[in-house]
Amino acid sequence: MSWDCGLRYMFSVSPALQHGSILDKEDLSKLDIVQRLAKDGYRFLQKPGKGLERTDEPQNDEAVRVCLRERGHDVLVLRRVSSHQPALPASARGGGREEARSRRYIVVSGTPEKILEHLLSDLTLDEEQGTTHCKGSDTLLDDFLLTYPVFMSTSDLCQALLGQYPFTVNCTKGCRGKEDRKDALERKQKVLHLVSQWVSLCRNFLRDDEHVKVFMKTLYRYMLDDLYEHPALEMHFRELQKLYQLHRRQVQDDYSPQRKSRALFHQWSLKEMGGLQSRDTQRETKEVLCHVYVTLDSYLSLRVHPGLVAQELLQAVADRMDVSGADLVLVAITYPGGRLLLQPQDRVFLQSSRPVGRLHVCRRDLGEALSPFTDNSELQQRTAHLLTLNTWDVAVALSNVDWNIFVSIHEQELVYFTFSRQTCSSQTALLEQLLQRCDEIQLWVMTEVLLCATLCKRVQLIKKFIKIAAHCKAQRNLHGFFAIIMGLNTAAVSRLTHTWEKVPGKFKKLFTELETITDPSFNHKAYRESFKKMKAPKIPFIPLLLKDITFIHEGNKTFHDNLVNFEKLHMIADTARLIRQCQNDQMGNGVAQKSSAEARNYMDHLHVIDNQQTLFELSNRLEPRS
């Protein structure tokens, strides 16, 4: 199969150029462009057998596009970025390769297979350590691994990777000398490096994938065939051993034609009952948020472990509500509309962070009826416990909950959430939990203020919330900060004119300053500038991050002429990488801090009214409309 390689725009050379005659300005311009592109190493449509002219002279021209064609169709479009553009990391510059690396070709669009092929070609092998790295600050490797679910399935990627791994048998028959064997070894190392990076980055989504298990077994057999002839692969093999939980044993090798003469060989095998470990080893054991409705329009937010059973949850609710757990039953309203009475030993969560349905607590004597456990009139009589707590401790406890969720979120969850939220809901559970947490904090602020019947106590509550918001900002938790400010700015709270009139002037001034950060003007300029000044680790306002990705998604086509629009995916990956940057804690300045047990217990059991109509009724009760 022959490939035609050429430029998107071809220049027709006039007879004057061919016979050495005097050239006019137009001819000189065409010749100059062709020569400059040839010096950059671009491939023109040409007759077979003609060599390509290359030079290492530095070029100062702007970005130029070049395209690869197969069977008359474009399969890959690249764009050259000039050396002065911020496309190179400091780590990629050094030695004698600095000038060569200053000319990068980034992917504009292409087929998935050609993008992968270019990615492997773009990887540079470190001859001393035998490792590989990718050029460019926003690397093609990271872009590809974060966004590949948009344009190809995991099964397709596994097949494409196996297709890029040179088989030992084919290489032995086809290689003509040391150079060919060296190229084959380099290709194998690049593929193994890419696989290692893929699993290291996306292991949370791959550990239960059957296609990945089959792929790993196949690749493992290929590596076994290559280890004896290419000892340099041992380092890559050990790296995969750690990622895939491989173990070593001595067995008779009876399947490899390359090593039948060796009776014993150190073989590595894949543990059938192991699989991939999560990037965060505590991901499955961390506590999750659970909402249990105690009335038709209000719920308790509890922090529980994923293996919780119904009896344990009922006891936690009973302790919080100061009633006997023996008198309660737990009913789950399934999403299609059915009701499920949970038995004492039934698990509450089907998966690590998703309950079996909307959970309601009812009195046992009411059977399956979903009558309220209590009513809002009783709840309004509850004392405002928040007034007795230290605001810094409350902010620390709030930020600790937010951080424990945020640090477990994977960048790829943003990609799944944007492109396939409905079909891949299991892949975005933690992200959705943090979004739910934002709504919960906002409703909690409204609930606490509107359930306080005494004017002076309401004023004290508003003062406390303003201070808690300021503390959250100081603790670099802008997610919780935004939620509190939005809760105070909701119509049901902001309309309490008499209450806000009693708030001291210095607190009103502080609130106004905090409000300016949440101002959406000029695409949230105030927030972005404030957030940029904060050092990592920090918790961003997740809804705004999703808004940025959605804007990129809806403003750009994913495919152009059946080619993947990789420029769009690069922008999405670059935005999603903010999650990783915010989670980074190299200096040990973590968001999580120690808080008082009382504040922690309070924040672990929040009471929230989630019915806007009920909240407005409470607001009108406190300060009737004039």
Side-chain angles (χ1 to χ4, degrees):
M1 178 176 61
S2 63
W3 293 354
D4 291 329
C5 301
L7 293 173
R8 170 76 68 179
Y9 301 104
M10 301 305 298
F11 301 94
S12 59
V13 183
S14 67
L17 295 179
Q18 300 175 10
H19 296 92
S21 304
I22 298 176
L23 309 179
D24 58 22
K25 291 182 180 180
E26 183 179 0
D27 291 330
L28 284 171
S29 177
K30 291 181 179 180
L31 179 60
D32 180 65
I33 293 174
V34 172
Q35 287 177 340
R36 284 193 298 151
L37 294 177
K39 288 180 181 180
D40 280 344
Y42 288 102
R43 297 173 178 266
F44 293 87
L45 288 175
Q46 56 184 328
K47 295 180 180 179
K50 285 194 176 183
L52 298 174
E53 184 179 349
R54 292 177 181 269
T55 182
D56 290 331
E57 294 181 8
Q59 301 294 322
N60 297 320
D61 53 325
E62 296 298 327
V64 179
R65 294 196 177 193
V66 61
C67 107
L68 176 70
R69 309 185 99 184
E70 181 180 347
R71 295 180 178 179
H73 297 284
D74 296 341
V75 293
L76 184 66
V77 180
L78 305 175
R79 178 166 59 87
R80 178 184 183 274
V81 289
S82 302
S83 57
H84 65 272
Q85 292 180 335
L88 289 172
S91 59
R93 299 172 182 170
R97 299 181 180 178
E98 177 179 353
E99 193 169 314
R101 288 177 182 170
S102 66
R103 298 194 304 271
R104 290 195 63 238
Y105 301 93
I106 62 176
V107 176
V108 175
S109 60
T111 63
E113 294 78 12
K114 292 304 175 185
I115 294 175
L116 176 61
E117 185 177 332
H118 174 75
L119 166 61
L120 292 172
S121 300
D122 196 47
L123 290 172
T124 304
L125 188 65
D126 189 329
E127 297 179 358
E128 296 180 358
Q129 300 181 3
T131 58
T132 54
H133 57 83
C134 191
K135 299 174 291 184
S137 56
D138 299 326
T139 64
L140 173 63
L141 174 61
D142 205 44
D143 293 344
F144 182 88
L145 295 179
L146 282 176
T147 62
Y148 81 88
V150 175
F151 54 87
M152 68 190 309
S153 65
T154 300
S155 174
D156 292 337
L157 178 57
C158 291
Q159 293 299 320
L161 287 171
L162 288 178
Q164 292 294 330
Y165 190 89
F167 292 88
T168 301
V169 177
N170 295 339
C171 182
T172 303
K173 292 180 180 180
C175 287
R176 296 185 295 271
K178 293 183 179 179
E179 291 299 325
D180 288 337
R181 287 194 294 271
K182 182 179 179 181
D183 292 342
L185 172 61
E186 183 175 330
R187 193 72 170 183
K188 294 174 191 288
Q189 289 177 312
K190 289 182 176 182
V191 172
L192 293 178
H193 173 74
L194 191 151
V195 172
S196 298
Q197 294 297 313
W198 177 37
V199 176
S200 178
L201 179 65
C202 306
R203 68 183 71 175
N204 294 328
F205 306 109
L206 301 179
R207 63 183 183 277
D208 297 325
D209 195 306
E210 293 298 327
H211 298 292
V212 175
K213 294 179 181 178
V214 174
F215 164 73
M216 271 307 302
K217 291 179 182 179
T218 306
L219 183 63
Y220 136 75
R221 293 189 179 96
Y222 292 167
M223 288 188 289
L224 286 178
D225 289 336
D226 294 331
L227 278 178
Y228 184 81
E229 184 176 355
H230 301 296
L233 295 177
E234 180 76 12
M235 182 184 62
H236 297 280
F237 202 66
R238 289 184 181 278
E239 184 178 357
L240 288 175
Q241 175 202 11
K242 296 178 182 178
L243 291 173
Y244 291 96
Q245 291 186 287
L246 301 171
H247 68 282
R248 192 171 186 171
R249 58 192 172 93
Q250 288 185 332
V251 297
Q252 180 80 25
D253 183 17
D254 57 0
Y255 70 84
S256 175
Q258 280 69 45
R259 289 185 269 106
K260 282 187 176 180
S261 60
R262 305 173 186 87
L264 292 176
F265 188 83
H266 289 297
Q267 177 178 341
W268 305 75
S269 63
L270 192 65
K271 285 186 178 180
E272 295 294 339
M273 302 305 292
L276 302 178
Q277 289 296 315
S278 171
R279 183 178 69 169
D280 183 353
T281 56
Q282 298 180 347
R283 183 183 176 96
E284 296 299 329
T285 59
K286 281 188 174 182
E287 293 179 327
V288 296
L289 295 176
C290 179
H291 292 171
V292 184
Y293 281 80
V294 293
T295 73
L296 292 178
D297 54 12
S298 67
Y299 62 81
L300 284 177
S301 176
L302 308 173
R303 289 187 67 196
V304 297
H305 60 88
L308 187 77
V309 296
Q311 184 176 5
E312 296 173 328
L313 182 59
L314 283 174
Q315 189 60 48
V317 173
D319 292 343
R320 176 64 176 171
M321 303 300 296
D322 196 21
V323 295
S324 173
D327 298 333
L328 305 179
V329 293
L330 188 64
V331 178
I333 305 299
T334 57
Y335 295 110
R339 299 178 181 181
L340 176 64
L341 179 64
L342 296 181
Q343 300 303 315
Q345 297 305 314
D346 288 346
R347 289 177 62 98
V348 175
F349 294 93
L350 293 176
Q351 299 178 7
S352 60
S353 57
R354 291 186 181 277
V356 293
R358 174 166 160 156
L359 303 174
H360 285 254
V361 170
C362 305
R363 294 191 183 276
R364 185 177 296 276
D365 54 7
L366 296 178
E368 294 185 0
L370 293 181
S371 298
F373 165 71
T374 183
D375 57 41
N376 285 327
S377 61
E378 294 180 14
L379 292 173
Q380 291 181 51
Q381 298 173 7
R382 296 169 57 88
T383 58
H385 182 52
L386 179 61
L387 292 175
T388 65
L389 300 177
N390 180 274
T391 54
W392 178 265
D393 288 339
V394 173
V396 169
L398 188 153
S399 295
N400 286 348
V401 176
D402 292 350
W403 175 255
N404 288 335
I405 301 174
F406 174 71
V407 77
S408 300
I409 293 177
H410 193 283
E411 312 94 278
Q412 212 171 40
E413 290 191 43
L414 278 73
V415 178
Y416 281 114
F417 188 87
T418 303
F419 286 88
S420 50
R421 187 185 317 176
Q422 302 300 327
T423 58
C424 299
S425 59
S426 61
Q427 309 284 26
T428 61
L430 291 170
L431 177 61
E432 292 179 14
Q433 191 174 131
L434 191 57
L435 293 173
Q436 189 180 55
R437 174 71 174 173
C438 181
D439 294 335
E440 175 183 298
I441 296 301
Q442 182 177 343
L443 291 169
W444 164 64
V445 172
M446 299 172 66
T447 301
E448 289 288 348
V449 173
L450 298 176
L451 286 181
C452 186
T454 308
L455 176 61
C456 62
K457 289 186 177 180
R458 278 203 309 277
V459 173
Q460 294 177 31
L461 276 175
I462 290 179
K463 289 165 55 179
K464 273 192 173 290
F465 278 124
I466 293 174
K467 292 175 67 176
I468 292 171
H471 293 329
C472 284
K473 178 178 177 292
Q475 295 166 14
R476 307 187 300 281
N477 177 14
L478 290 183
H479 190 74
F481 162 78
F482 254 84
I484 294 174
I485 297 299
M486 289 190 301
L488 292 174
N489 271 327
T490 53
V493 176
S494 62
R495 66 171 295 276
L496 300 176
T497 308
H498 299 302
T499 304
W500 283 97
E501 286 177 350
K502 298 292 184 179
V503 176
K506 66 176 184 179
F507 283 93
K508 289 182 180 178
K509 180 180 179 182
L510 176 59
F511 181 66
T512 302
E513 293 174 356
L514 297 178
E515 265 189 315
T516 57
I517 300 177
T518 64
D519 184 5
S521 302
F522 303 103
N523 193 20
H524 292 272
K525 180 181 178 181
Y527 161 77
R528 297 182 192 277
E529 291 179 350
S530 178
F531 184 75
K532 188 177 181 179
K533 295 177 182 177
M534 292 182 179
K535 296 181 180 179
K538 51 190 176 181
I539 307 177
F541 183 48
I542 298 298
L544 182 57
L545 193 60
L546 289 172
K547 175 187 173 183
D548 292 342
I549 293 182
T550 302
F551 181 81
I552 297 171
H553 174 46
E554 295 182 351
N556 301 273
K557 294 182 178 179
T558 305
F559 296 92
H560 283 311
D561 299 327
N562 296 324
L563 299 181
V564 178
N565 181 7
F566 206 78
E567 285 187 314
K568 167 184 175 176
L569 299 183
H570 163 70
M571 290 189 290
I572 290 178
D574 201 36
T575 306
R577 267 189 288 268
L578 181 64
I579 293 286
R580 188 188 311 167
Q581 297 166 8
C582 293
Q583 293 172 345
N584 187 22
D585 187 15
Q586 294 181 348
M587 304 302 294
N589 300 321
V591 172
Q593 304 178 44
K594 290 185 178 180
S595 62
S596 68
E598 189 178 9
R600 187 166 57 251
N601 181 65
Y602 174 83
M603 293 305 299
D604 286 349
H605 303 84
L606 295 179
H607 173 251
V608 172
I609 298 176
D610 68 344
N611 187 295
Q612 294 292 335
Q613 183 177 352
T614 301
L615 291 169
F616 262 102
E617 290 175 358
L618 290 173
S619 178
N620 287 323
R621 243 183 251 176
L622 294 175
E623 294 189 18
R625 296 177 181 176
S626 56

